[in-house]
Amino acid sequence: MATIAALIWIVLGSTLAGIGLTIVVATPALAAESMKYIPWAALAGFVAALPLSVVIARTLRGSARH
């Protein structure tokens, strides 16, 4: 299950990081300080993807047994 979760984490983390970066760049108040907020948005995306990838991997593994 760890391998499946790691693969999901790579894809999901990149997606969530990209969403965070888009929010930072598209929001004028945040875009002014983008050099400060972009690394934090990317980090938050990858950290948020950790538990989500484990949940998705468990769900996929559980559905594969039926």
Side-chain angles (χ1 to χ4, degrees), residues 13-31:
S14 299
T15 302
L16 294 179
I19 290 169
L21 294 177
T22 303
I23 291 170
V24 168
V25 173
T27 307
L30 298 177

Side-chain angles (χ1 to χ4, degrees), residues 21 34-44:
L21 294 177
S34 63
M35 295 301 286
K36 183 169 82 173
Y37 292 125
I38 285 176
W40 287 108
L43 179 66

Side-chain angles (χ1 to χ4, degrees), residues 1 3 8-9 11 14 16 20 26 28-29 33 37 44 46 56 64-65:
M1 185 182 77
T3 305
I8 294 169
W9 176 68
V11 174
S14 299
L16 294 179
E33 301 269 343
Y37 292 125
F46 277 103
I56 293 169
R65 292 185 179 168

